[in-house]
Amino acid sequence: MKKMKVLVTGYNGQLGYDVIKLLKEKNIDCIGVDKDDFDLLNETETKTFIINQEPNVIIHCAAYTNVDKAEDEKRLCYNINVNGTKYVAEAAKILKCKIIYISTDYIFSGDGDKPFNVTDKAKPINYYGKTKYLGELEVKNATDSYFIVRVSWVFGINGHNFVKTMLRLGNTKDNINVVDDQIGSPTYTVDLAKLLLEMLYSDKYGIYHATNEGFCSWYDFAVKIFEYSRKNIDVKKVDSSAFKTIASRPLNSRLSKSSLQENGFCRLRKWEDALKEYIETITDN
């Protein structure tokens, strides 16, 4: 059997950081790459670098993720999320290696109150979501050996996230307004990294939704953050209309994870348990 080698793009991001950490803990040959290694906007540079590394698997975490800024920086967002993904996927095709592409709940409209299935039609309501969906299509066009993994409300040790923002605000404020009409699931990068490790050894290719179990609003999420961090903050419910953002956000970000268990993958633990562990980890450091 050929020795496993995994290349992870965007390894300085929230997910990439924990994926590389886990791969090293499992003694799996891996290389984490970022913009210092090659320019994702340059096709030749991207393909040459990846092909020279000869990975068996590419986990493509790198992305343009600033949802509001994407509305003003459309060309840059498109070039990273669509063209950059195309170059990475085409390198995977040349190498005949599998690719795991990290996508998002933002490819959906956010209509209704039922969890979106992997087969539901994409209908993004902001430019970031549009480019991530177009990135999915580039992966599917390049190779059959792909996993497209859609996630939402990501939090991890490395980088910025909602949990860290709430904890920071809690240091200076006694009360905080948080939206209660956007419903979804948090995703802890440590848990997601374990699932991606399962996919390294699988040929159950396709599209998957992977978030921690259970649904909540951002308000519910914030209440638990302060409960677990033992901060006495008065969290007030508000509608999305109270927060004017450049890009629209989906009200319904519920994702159905049924395809995971149907294909023998482990579903992630409850989001409350993941959050509790995360807060204990970051407050211990």
Side-chain angles (χ1 to χ4, degrees), residues 229-256:
S229 60
R230 297 181 177 84
K231 289 180 183 288
N232 188 21
I233 307 295
D234 181 20
V235 186
K236 299 182 185 299
K237 298 179 182 181
V238 294
D239 290 336
S240 296
S241 57
F243 286 98
K244 296 298 179 188
T245 56
I246 297 168
S248 299
R249 265 63 170 181
L251 294 180
N252 177 21
S253 282
R254 299 172 182 88
L255 298 176
S256 168

PDB file of all heavy atoms in Angstrom, residues 229-256:
ATOM      1  N   SER A 229     -18.245  29.854  30.536  1.00  0.00           N
ATOM      2  CA  SER A 229     -17.086  30.667  30.921  1.00  0.00           C
ATOM      3  C   SER A 229     -17.313  31.386  32.247  1.00  0.00           C
ATOM      4  O   SER A 229     -16.462  32.167  32.694  1.00  0.00           O
ATOM      5  CB  SER A 229     -16.764  31.685  29.822  1.00  0.00           C
ATOM      6  OG  SER A 229     -17.861  32.551  29.610  1.00  0.00           O
ATOM      7  N   ARG A 230     -18.481  31.107  32.855  1.00  0.00           N
ATOM      8  CA  ARG A 230     -18.838  31.661  34.171  1.00  0.00           C
ATOM      9  C   ARG A 230     -18.811  33.189  34.184  1.00  0.00           C
ATOM     10  O   ARG A 230     -18.322  33.824  35.120  1.00  0.00           O
ATOM     11  CB  ARG A 230     -17.921  31.097  35.267  1.00  0.00           C
ATOM     12  CG  ARG A 230     -18.046  29.600  35.453  1.00  0.00           C
ATOM     13  CD  ARG A 230     -17.136  29.092  36.563  1.00  0.00           C
ATOM     14  NE  ARG A 230     -17.307  27.665  36.784  1.00  0.00           N
ATOM     15  CZ  ARG A 230     -16.694  26.709  36.079  1.00  0.00           C
ATOM     16  NH1 ARG A 230     -15.884  27.057  35.090  1.00  0.00           N
ATOM     17  NH2 ARG A 230     -16.895  25.440  36.349  1.00  0.00           N
ATOM     18  N   LYS A 231     -19.334  33.777  33.117  1.00  0.00           N
ATOM     19  CA  LYS A 231     -19.448  35.238  33.048  1.00  0.00           C
ATOM     20  C   LYS A 231     -20.919  35.616  33.198  1.00  0.00           C
ATOM     21  O   LYS A 231     -21.773  35.058  32.525  1.00  0.00           O
ATOM     22  CB  LYS A 231     -18.905  35.756  31.712  1.00  0.00           C
ATOM     23  CG  LYS A 231     -17.393  35.653  31.566  1.00  0.00           C
ATOM     24  CD  LYS A 231     -16.953  36.184  30.207  1.00  0.00           C
ATOM     25  CE  LYS A 231     -15.461  36.037  29.993  1.00  0.00           C
ATOM     26  NZ  LYS A 231     -14.681  36.960  30.809  1.00  0.00           N
ATOM     27  N   ASN A 232     -21.190  36.545  34.068  1.00  0.00           N
ATOM     28  CA  ASN A 232     -22.571  36.963  34.318  1.00  0.00           C
ATOM     29  C   ASN A 232     -22.948  38.110  33.373  1.00  0.00           C
ATOM     30  O   ASN A 232     -22.869  39.284  33.726  1.00  0.00           O
ATOM     31  CB  ASN A 232     -22.729  37.389  35.781  1.00  0.00           C
ATOM     32  CG  ASN A 232     -24.181  37.633  36.142  1.00  0.00           C
ATOM     33  OD1 ASN A 232     -25.088  37.140  35.469  1.00  0.00           O
ATOM     34  ND2 ASN A 232     -24.406  38.416  37.185  1.00  0.00           N
ATOM     35  N   ILE A 233     -23.335  37.727  32.156  1.00  0.00           N
ATOM     36  CA  ILE A 233     -23.678  38.706  31.128  1.00  0.00           C
ATOM     37  C   ILE A 233     -25.159  38.583  30.787  1.00  0.00           C
ATOM     38  O   ILE A 233     -25.676  37.475  30.627  1.00  0.00           O
ATOM     39  CB  ILE A 233     -22.843  38.481  29.838  1.00  0.00           C
ATOM     40  CG1 ILE A 233     -21.341  38.432  30.150  1.00  0.00           C
ATOM     41  CG2 ILE A 233     -23.170  39.539  28.788  1.00  0.00           C
ATOM     42  CD1 ILE A 233     -20.758  39.713  30.669  1.00  0.00           C
ATOM     43  N   ASP A 234     -25.826  39.726  30.680  1.00  0.00           N
ATOM     44  CA  ASP A 234     -27.231  39.734  30.279  1.00  0.00           C
ATOM     45  C   ASP A 234     -27.296  39.729  28.749  1.00  0.00           C
ATOM     46  O   ASP A 234     -26.976  40.734  28.110  1.00  0.00           O
ATOM     47  CB  ASP A 234     -27.913  40.988  30.849  1.00  0.00           C
ATOM     48  CG  ASP A 234     -29.391  41.041  30.490  1.00  0.00           C
ATOM     49  OD1 ASP A 234     -29.959  39.984  30.151  1.00  0.00           O
ATOM     50  OD2 ASP A 234     -29.961  42.157  30.537  1.00  0.00           O
ATOM     51  N   VAL A 235     -27.680  38.585  28.166  1.00  0.00           N
ATOM     52  CA  VAL A 235     -27.764  38.463  26.708  1.00  0.00           C
ATOM     53  C   VAL A 235     -29.201  38.731  26.280  1.00  0.00           C
ATOM     54  O   VAL A 235     -30.133  38.094  26.770  1.00  0.00           O
ATOM     55  CB  VAL A 235     -27.320  37.050  26.247  1.00  0.00           C
ATOM     56  CG1 VAL A 235     -27.275  36.987  24.718  1.00  0.00           C
ATOM     57  CG2 VAL A 235     -25.958  36.680  26.835  1.00  0.00           C
ATOM     58  N   LYS A 236     -29.367  39.697  25.397  1.00  0.00           N
ATOM     59  CA  LYS A 236     -30.715  40.087  24.950  1.00  0.00           C
ATOM     60  C   LYS A 236     -30.966  39.619  23.516  1.00  0.00           C
ATOM     61  O   LYS A 236     -30.084  39.732  22.664  1.00  0.00           O
ATOM     62  CB  LYS A 236     -30.877  41.607  25.024  1.00  0.00           C
ATOM     63  CG  LYS A 236     -30.721  42.169  26.432  1.00  0.00           C
ATOM     64  CD  LYS A 236     -30.947  43.669  26.444  1.00  0.00           C
ATOM     65  CE  LYS A 236     -30.687  44.274  27.828  1.00  0.00           C
ATOM     66  NZ  LYS A 236     -31.566  43.742  28.870  1.00  0.00           N
ATOM     67  N   LYS A 237     -32.166  39.088  23.257  1.00  0.00           N
ATOM     68  CA  LYS A 237     -32.549  38.632  21.921  1.00  0.00           C
ATOM     69  C   LYS A 237     -32.911  39.818  21.029  1.00  0.00           C
ATOM     70  O   LYS A 237     -33.645  40.710  21.451  1.00  0.00           O
ATOM     71  CB  LYS A 237     -33.774  37.715  21.999  1.00  0.00           C
ATOM     72  CG  LYS A 237     -33.582  36.437  22.778  1.00  0.00           C
ATOM     73  CD  LYS A 237     -34.885  35.641  22.782  1.00  0.00           C
ATOM     74  CE  LYS A 237     -34.753  34.366  23.600  1.00  0.00           C
ATOM     75  NZ  LYS A 237     -36.005  33.580  23.598  1.00  0.00           N
ATOM     76  N   VAL A 238     -32.401  39.790  19.796  1.00  0.00           N
ATOM     77  CA  VAL A 238     -32.816  40.775  18.800  1.00  0.00           C
ATOM     78  C   VAL A 238     -32.978  40.077  17.449  1.00  0.00           C
ATOM     79  O   VAL A 238     -32.449  38.983  17.235  1.00  0.00           O
ATOM     80  CB  VAL A 238     -31.792  41.932  18.655  1.00  0.00           C
ATOM     81  CG1 VAL A 238     -31.715  42.755  19.924  1.00  0.00           C
ATOM     82  CG2 VAL A 238     -30.421  41.408  18.260  1.00  0.00           C
ATOM     83  N   ASP A 239     -33.713  40.709  16.534  1.00  0.00           N
ATOM     84  CA  ASP A 239     -33.845  40.192  15.182  1.00  0.00           C
ATOM     85  C   ASP A 239     -32.646  40.617  14.340  1.00  0.00           C
ATOM     86  O   ASP A 239     -31.970  41.601  14.660  1.00  0.00           O
ATOM     87  CB  ASP A 239     -35.121  40.721  14.521  1.00  0.00           C
ATOM     88  CG  ASP A 239     -36.370  40.123  15.150  1.00  0.00           C
ATOM     89  OD1 ASP A 239     -36.269  39.027  15.733  1.00  0.00           O
ATOM     90  OD2 ASP A 239     -37.438  40.762  15.057  1.00  0.00           O
ATOM     91  N   SER A 240     -32.449  39.902  13.247  1.00  0.00           N
ATOM     92  CA  SER A 240     -31.348  40.230  12.336  1.00  0.00           C
ATOM     93  C   SER A 240     -31.440  41.662  11.822  1.00  0.00           C
ATOM     94  O   SER A 240     -30.429  42.295  11.525  1.00  0.00           O
ATOM     95  CB  SER A 240     -31.343  39.274  11.141  1.00  0.00           C
ATOM     96  OG  SER A 240     -31.097  37.955  11.561  1.00  0.00           O
ATOM     97  N   SER A 241     -32.683  42.172  11.740  1.00  0.00           N
ATOM     98  CA  SER A 241     -32.883  43.543  11.245  1.00  0.00           C
ATOM     99  C   SER A 241     -32.208  44.586  12.139  1.00  0.00           C
ATOM    100  O   SER A 241     -31.937  45.713  11.705  1.00  0.00           O
ATOM    101  CB  SER A 241     -34.379  43.846  11.139  1.00  0.00           C
ATOM    102  OG  SER A 241     -35.014  43.653  12.393  1.00  0.00           O
ATOM    103  N   ALA A 242     -31.905  44.189  13.381  1.00  0.00           N
ATOM    104  CA  ALA A 242     -31.241  45.122  14.309  1.00  0.00           C
ATOM    105  C   ALA A 242     -29.763  45.292  13.988  1.00  0.00           C
ATOM    106  O   ALA A 242     -29.137  46.261  14.414  1.00  0.00           O
ATOM    107  CB  ALA A 242     -31.407  44.629  15.741  1.00  0.00           C
ATOM    108  N   PHE A 243     -29.209  44.335  13.246  1.00  0.00           N
ATOM    109  CA  PHE A 243     -27.802  44.397  12.855  1.00  0.00           C
ATOM    110  C   PHE A 243     -27.715  44.532  11.337  1.00  0.00           C
ATOM    111  O   PHE A 243     -27.946  43.566  10.611  1.00  0.00           O
ATOM    112  CB  PHE A 243     -27.045  43.140  13.295  1.00  0.00           C
ATOM    113  CG  PHE A 243     -26.755  43.077  14.770  1.00  0.00           C
ATOM    114  CD1 PHE A 243     -27.565  42.345  15.614  1.00  0.00           C
ATOM    115  CD2 PHE A 243     -25.673  43.748  15.303  1.00  0.00           C
ATOM    116  CE1 PHE A 243     -27.310  42.279  16.980  1.00  0.00           C
ATOM    117  CE2 PHE A 243     -25.399  43.696  16.672  1.00  0.00           C
ATOM    118  CZ  PHE A 243     -26.222  42.962  17.509  1.00  0.00           C
ATOM    119  N   LYS A 244     -27.403  45.711  10.879  1.00  0.00           N
ATOM    120  CA  LYS A 244     -27.286  45.931   9.438  1.00  0.00           C
ATOM    121  C   LYS A 244     -25.909  45.442   8.966  1.00  0.00           C
ATOM    122  O   LYS A 244     -24.883  45.957   9.403  1.00  0.00           O
ATOM    123  CB  LYS A 244     -27.451  47.418   9.102  1.00  0.00           C
ATOM    124  CG  LYS A 244     -28.831  47.969   9.442  1.00  0.00           C
ATOM    125  CD  LYS A 244     -29.934  47.283   8.640  1.00  0.00           C
ATOM    126  CE  LYS A 244     -31.311  47.814   8.996  1.00  0.00           C
ATOM    127  NZ  LYS A 244     -32.403  47.042   8.377  1.00  0.00           N
ATOM    128  N   THR A 245     -25.927  44.438   8.113  1.00  0.00           N
ATOM    129  CA  THR A 245     -24.672  43.924   7.553  1.00  0.00           C
ATOM    130  C   THR A 245     -24.689  44.111   6.037  1.00  0.00           C
ATOM    131  O   THR A 245     -25.748  44.154   5.411  1.00  0.00           O
ATOM    132  CB  THR A 245     -24.490  42.424   7.871  1.00  0.00           C
ATOM    133  OG1 THR A 245     -25.625  41.697   7.395  1.00  0.00           O
ATOM    134  CG2 THR A 245     -24.325  42.202   9.374  1.00  0.00           C
ATOM    135  N   ILE A 246     -23.510  44.211   5.462  1.00  0.00           N
ATOM    136  CA  ILE A 246     -23.405  44.422   4.014  1.00  0.00           C
ATOM    137  C   ILE A 246     -23.961  43.211   3.269  1.00  0.00           C
ATOM    138  O   ILE A 246     -24.707  43.335   2.312  1.00  0.00           O
ATOM    139  CB  ILE A 246     -21.935  44.682   3.617  1.00  0.00           C
ATOM    140  CG1 ILE A 246     -21.426  45.962   4.280  1.00  0.00           C
ATOM    141  CG2 ILE A 246     -21.792  44.778   2.103  1.00  0.00           C
ATOM    142  CD1 ILE A 246     -19.930  46.161   4.193  1.00  0.00           C
ATOM    143  N   ALA A 247     -23.590  42.019   3.735  1.00  0.00           N
ATOM    144  CA  ALA A 247     -24.050  40.782   3.098  1.00  0.00           C
ATOM    145  C   ALA A 247     -25.214  40.185   3.878  1.00  0.00           C
ATOM    146  O   ALA A 247     -25.226  40.221   5.108  1.00  0.00           O
ATOM    147  CB  ALA A 247     -22.905  39.773   3.028  1.00  0.00           C
ATOM    148  N   SER A 248     -26.182  39.637   3.160  1.00  0.00           N
ATOM    149  CA  SER A 248     -27.302  38.952   3.810  1.00  0.00           C
ATOM    150  C   SER A 248     -26.843  37.639   4.425  1.00  0.00           C
ATOM    151  O   SER A 248     -25.948  36.979   3.893  1.00  0.00           O
ATOM    152  CB  SER A 248     -28.402  38.663   2.785  1.00  0.00           C
ATOM    153  OG  SER A 248     -28.885  39.851   2.229  1.00  0.00           O
ATOM    154  N   ARG A 249     -27.442  37.274   5.544  1.00  0.00           N
ATOM    155  CA  ARG A 249     -27.171  35.994   6.196  1.00  0.00           C
ATOM    156  C   ARG A 249     -28.404  35.098   6.115  1.00  0.00           C
ATOM    157  O   ARG A 249     -29.525  35.593   6.267  1.00  0.00           O
ATOM    158  CB  ARG A 249     -26.826  36.186   7.670  1.00  0.00           C
ATOM    159  CG  ARG A 249     -25.349  36.259   8.025  1.00  0.00           C
ATOM    160  CD  ARG A 249     -24.642  37.404   7.422  1.00  0.00           C
ATOM    161  NE  ARG A 249     -23.292  37.555   7.984  1.00  0.00           N
ATOM    162  CZ  ARG A 249     -22.462  38.522   7.627  1.00  0.00           C
ATOM    163  NH1 ARG A 249     -22.841  39.416   6.724  1.00  0.00           N
ATOM    164  NH2 ARG A 249     -21.250  38.600   8.155  1.00  0.00           N
ATOM    165  N   PRO A 250     -28.216  33.793   5.892  1.00  0.00           N
ATOM    166  CA  PRO A 250     -29.376  32.889   5.879  1.00  0.00           C
ATOM    167  C   PRO A 250     -29.981  32.752   7.272  1.00  0.00           C
ATOM    168  O   PRO A 250     -29.246  32.631   8.260  1.00  0.00           O
ATOM    169  CB  PRO A 250     -28.785  31.559   5.397  1.00  0.00           C
ATOM    170  CG  PRO A 250     -27.312  31.651   5.670  1.00  0.00           C
ATOM    171  CD  PRO A 250     -26.955  33.096   5.598  1.00  0.00           C
ATOM    172  N   LEU A 251     -31.310  32.801   7.359  1.00  0.00           N
ATOM    173  CA  LEU A 251     -31.976  32.622   8.649  1.00  0.00           C
ATOM    174  C   LEU A 251     -31.964  31.151   9.067  1.00  0.00           C
ATOM    175  O   LEU A 251     -31.897  30.834  10.254  1.00  0.00           O
ATOM    176  CB  LEU A 251     -33.418  33.129   8.576  1.00  0.00           C
ATOM    177  CG  LEU A 251     -33.597  34.635   8.352  1.00  0.00           C
ATOM    178  CD1 LEU A 251     -35.076  34.992   8.303  1.00  0.00           C
ATOM    179  CD2 LEU A 251     -32.886  35.437   9.438  1.00  0.00           C
ATOM    180  N   ASN A 252     -32.030  30.262   8.085  1.00  0.00           N
ATOM    181  CA  ASN A 252     -32.011  28.823   8.370  1.00  0.00           C
ATOM    182  C   ASN A 252     -30.723  28.210   7.854  1.00  0.00           C
ATOM    183  O   ASN A 252     -30.534  28.056   6.652  1.00  0.00           O
ATOM    184  CB  ASN A 252     -33.224  28.144   7.718  1.00  0.00           C
ATOM    185  CG  ASN A 252     -33.220  26.638   7.927  1.00  0.00           C
ATOM    186  OD1 ASN A 252     -32.575  26.122   8.853  1.00  0.00           O
ATOM    187  ND2 ASN A 252     -33.927  25.920   7.076  1.00  0.00           N
ATOM    188  N   SER A 253     -29.828  27.882   8.779  1.00  0.00           N
ATOM    189  CA  SER A 253     -28.572  27.226   8.414  1.00  0.00           C
ATOM    190  C   SER A 253     -28.538  25.781   8.918  1.00  0.00           C
ATOM    191  O   SER A 253     -27.461  25.193   9.068  1.00  0.00           O
ATOM    192  CB  SER A 253     -27.376  28.004   8.979  1.00  0.00           C
ATOM    193  OG  SER A 253     -27.109  29.139   8.183  1.00  0.00           O
ATOM    194  N   ARG A 254     -29.713  25.226   9.192  1.00  0.00           N
ATOM    195  CA  ARG A 254     -29.758  23.829   9.639  1.00  0.00           C
ATOM    196  C   ARG A 254     -29.301  22.916   8.495  1.00  0.00           C
ATOM    197  O   ARG A 254     -29.768  23.046   7.360  1.00  0.00           O
ATOM    198  CB  ARG A 254     -31.173  23.432  10.051  1.00  0.00           C
ATOM    199  CG  ARG A 254     -31.767  24.219  11.210  1.00  0.00           C
ATOM    200  CD  ARG A 254     -33.232  23.837  11.373  1.00  0.00           C
ATOM    201  NE  ARG A 254     -33.926  24.571  12.422  1.00  0.00           N
ATOM    202  CZ  ARG A 254     -34.536  25.731  12.257  1.00  0.00           C
ATOM    203  NH1 ARG A 254     -34.514  26.318  11.054  1.00  0.00           N
ATOM    204  NH2 ARG A 254     -35.171  26.327  13.247  1.00  0.00           N
ATOM    205  N   LEU A 255     -28.407  21.991   8.813  1.00  0.00           N
ATOM    206  CA  LEU A 255     -27.910  21.038   7.817  1.00  0.00           C
ATOM    207  C   LEU A 255     -28.194  19.612   8.279  1.00  0.00           C
ATOM    208  O   LEU A 255     -27.926  19.266   9.432  1.00  0.00           O
ATOM    209  CB  LEU A 255     -26.394  21.211   7.613  1.00  0.00           C
ATOM    210  CG  LEU A 255     -25.910  22.567   7.090  1.00  0.00           C
ATOM    211  CD1 LEU A 255     -24.388  22.606   7.035  1.00  0.00           C
ATOM    212  CD2 LEU A 255     -26.499  22.881   5.723  1.00  0.00           C
ATOM    213  N   SER A 256     -28.715  18.803   7.395  1.00  0.00           N
ATOM    214  CA  SER A 256     -28.963  17.392   7.710  1.00  0.00           C
ATOM    215  C   SER A 256     -27.660  16.602   7.567  1.00  0.00           C
ATOM    216  O   SER A 256     -27.000  16.661   6.527  1.00  0.00           O
ATOM    217  CB  SER A 256     -30.016  16.808   6.765  1.00  0.00           C
ATOM    218  OG  SER A 256     -30.053  15.402   6.891  1.00  0.00           O
TER     219      SER A 256
END
